[in-house]
Amino acid sequence: MANTAIDSAVLERDVRAGLPLGNPLATVEAFLAQLGLEFSFDASSKSVYAIARKLKGSTASASKSLQLQFRFNDASKLTSIDAKVLYTGP
């Protein structure tokens, strides 16, 4: 998802609205894939980590990204979503 027109706050709101707590892991992964986000599952922490890069506010020298962490319980049900805006550049 390389779309500098998407705002991080709007994306976070859409993710939270589209993935209510209690959703199974497979649903979360399918939703993230549909959005075109990079993501991976870490079994040791029972978390999916996702990132949306080059969001609104990015420039030629600095990139604004939204990092998401989805935590799951022992039954692989979504228990929390954490979001953090990251800036990278020279």
Side-chain angles (χ1 to χ4, degrees), residues 3-6 52-66 85-90:
N3 191 339
T4 56
I6 295 176
R53 301 179 191 277
K54 297 184 181 172
L55 299 176
K56 186 174 184 179
S58 295
T59 65
S61 61
S63 178
K64 181 177 181 181
S65 302
L66 180 66
V85 175
L86 304 173
Y87 294 91
T88 56

Side-chain angles (χ1 to χ4, degrees), residues 17-81:
L19 292 173
L21 300 183
N23 265 301
L25 173 62
T27 299
V28 173
E29 289 181 327
F31 184 85
L32 296 173
Q34 183 180 0
L35 288 178
L37 299 181
E38 299 171 45
F39 66 91
S40 64
F41 178 70
D42 177 48
S44 64
S45 66
K46 296 182 211 157
S47 296
V48 168
Y49 295 92
I51 192 158
R53 301 179 191 277
K54 297 184 181 172
L55 299 176
K56 186 174 184 179
S58 295
T59 65
S61 61
S63 178
K64 181 177 181 181
S65 302
L66 180 66
Q67 175 183 301
L68 298 157
Q69 180 181 6
F70 303 85
R71 290 189 179 93
F72 297 85
N73 62 17
D74 291 337
S76 295
K77 302 290 184 185
L78 183 62
T79 59
S80 70
I81 301 172

